[in-house]
């Protein structure tokens, strides 16, 4: 028998972050699927491309923190739907850039107000100071996770 205290999931921060993320993602997934026909990975890619412009698939993996297979499937679905274009990558002839086309940009501009409204609704339980603090703390935790060897 160990002298270590038992794990209390309700106080275990990784568990709290995971279930909170799943709850928020679930609400967003239902709305974006119903209103715009997008799954969460597709919306994340659309949001990154809408904000940053043309990127490679490798860039999208890094920016979204999604695995290569998830990004690849989402990119394929978006290309099949006519929302993104594949462009030659002048930096690397083996790769290609991905960018929202006119249809993708129009959908992105339609979704942004809904995304901002959902953000306001979900974060409305926090004061302005708490929102800043939460953002700061989450950033610090991402940095700590990135610093873990072998990740």
């Amino acid at each position: 028998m160990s002298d270590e205290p038992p794990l209390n999931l309700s106080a275990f921060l990784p568990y709290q972050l995971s279930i909170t993320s799943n709850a928020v993602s679930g609400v967003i997934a239902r709305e974006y699927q119903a209103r715009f026909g997008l799954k969460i990975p597709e919306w994340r890619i659309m949001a990154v491309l809408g904000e940053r412009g043309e990127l490679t698939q490798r860039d999208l993996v890094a920016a979204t923190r999604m695995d290569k297979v998830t990004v690849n499937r989402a990119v394929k679905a978006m290309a099949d739907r006519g929302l993104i274009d594949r462009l030659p990558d002048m930096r690397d002839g083996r790769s290609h850039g991905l960018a929202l086309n006119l249809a993708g940009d129009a959908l992105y501009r339609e979704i942004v107000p809904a995304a901002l409204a959902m953000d306001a609704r979900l974060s409305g339980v926090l004061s302005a100071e708490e929102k800043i603090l939460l953002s700061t703390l989450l950033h610090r935790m991402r940095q700590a996770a990135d610093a873990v060897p072998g990740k």
Side-chain angles (χ1 to χ4, degrees), residues 23-72:
V24 170
S25 288
V27 169
I28 293 169
R30 287 188 296 278
E31 176 155 340
Y32 290 4
Q33 181 67 46
R35 288 182 63 184
F36 307 108
L38 290 174
K39 296 177 179 172
I40 291 296
E42 295 161 10
W43 160 243
R44 285 184 185 159
I45 288 169
M46 179 174 278
V48 170
L49 292 175
E51 182 180 288
R52 299 185 188 177
E54 180 184 338
L55 295 171
T56 65
Q57 236 173 267
R58 177 177 287 166
D59 296 332
L60 288 170
V61 167
T64 62
R65 304 261 179 142
M66 295 186 296
D67 64 74
K68 290 183 220 178
V69 172
T70 300
V71 169
N72 189 48

Side-chain angles (χ1 to χ4, degrees), residues 121-134:
R121 182 176 179 192
L122 293 173
S123 66
V125 299
L126 304 173
S127 69
E129 295 80 16
E130 288 171 329
K131 289 176 193 177
I132 292 168
L133 178 59
L134 179 59

Side-chain angles (χ1 to χ4, degrees), residues 9-150:
L9 280 179
S10 64
F12 188 59
L13 189 57
Y15 178 77
Q16 291 179 22
L17 289 170
S18 179
I19 62 170
T20 301
S21 174
N22 289 344
V24 170
S25 288
V27 169
I28 293 169
R30 287 188 296 278
E31 176 155 340
Y32 290 4
Q33 181 67 46
R35 288 182 63 184
F36 307 108
L38 290 174
K39 296 177 179 172
I40 291 296
E42 295 161 10
W43 160 243
R44 285 184 185 159
I45 288 169
M46 179 174 278
V48 170
L49 292 175
E51 182 180 288
R52 299 185 188 177
E54 180 184 338
L55 295 171
T56 65
Q57 236 173 267
R58 177 177 287 166
D59 296 332
L60 288 170
V61 167
T64 62
R65 304 261 179 142
M66 295 186 296
D67 64 74
K68 290 183 220 178
V69 172
T70 300
V71 169
N72 189 48
R73 285 185 184 142
V75 164
K76 182 178 181 342
M78 293 173 71
D80 290 349
R81 190 169 162 190
L83 298 173
I84 60 173
D85 290 332
R86 295 177 191 271
L87 309 165
D89 186 347
M90 300 307 177
R91 298 173 295 166
D92 182 354
R94 299 166 297 165
S95 185
H96 56 269
L98 300 163
L100 295 177
N101 56 25
L102 289 175
D105 188 62
L107 184 59
Y108 172 73
R109 293 183 186 287
E110 186 181 341
I111 294 174
V112 166
L116 294 173
M118 181 62 74
D119 179 58
R121 182 176 179 192
L122 293 173
S123 66
V125 299
L126 304 173
S127 69
E129 295 80 16
E130 288 171 329
K131 289 176 193 177
I132 292 168
L133 178 59
L134 179 59
S135 181
T136 300
L137 295 173
L138 290 172
H139 176 74
R140 286 175 40 199
M141 291 203 64
R142 278 191 306 276
Q143 287 180 316
D146 287 344
V148 172

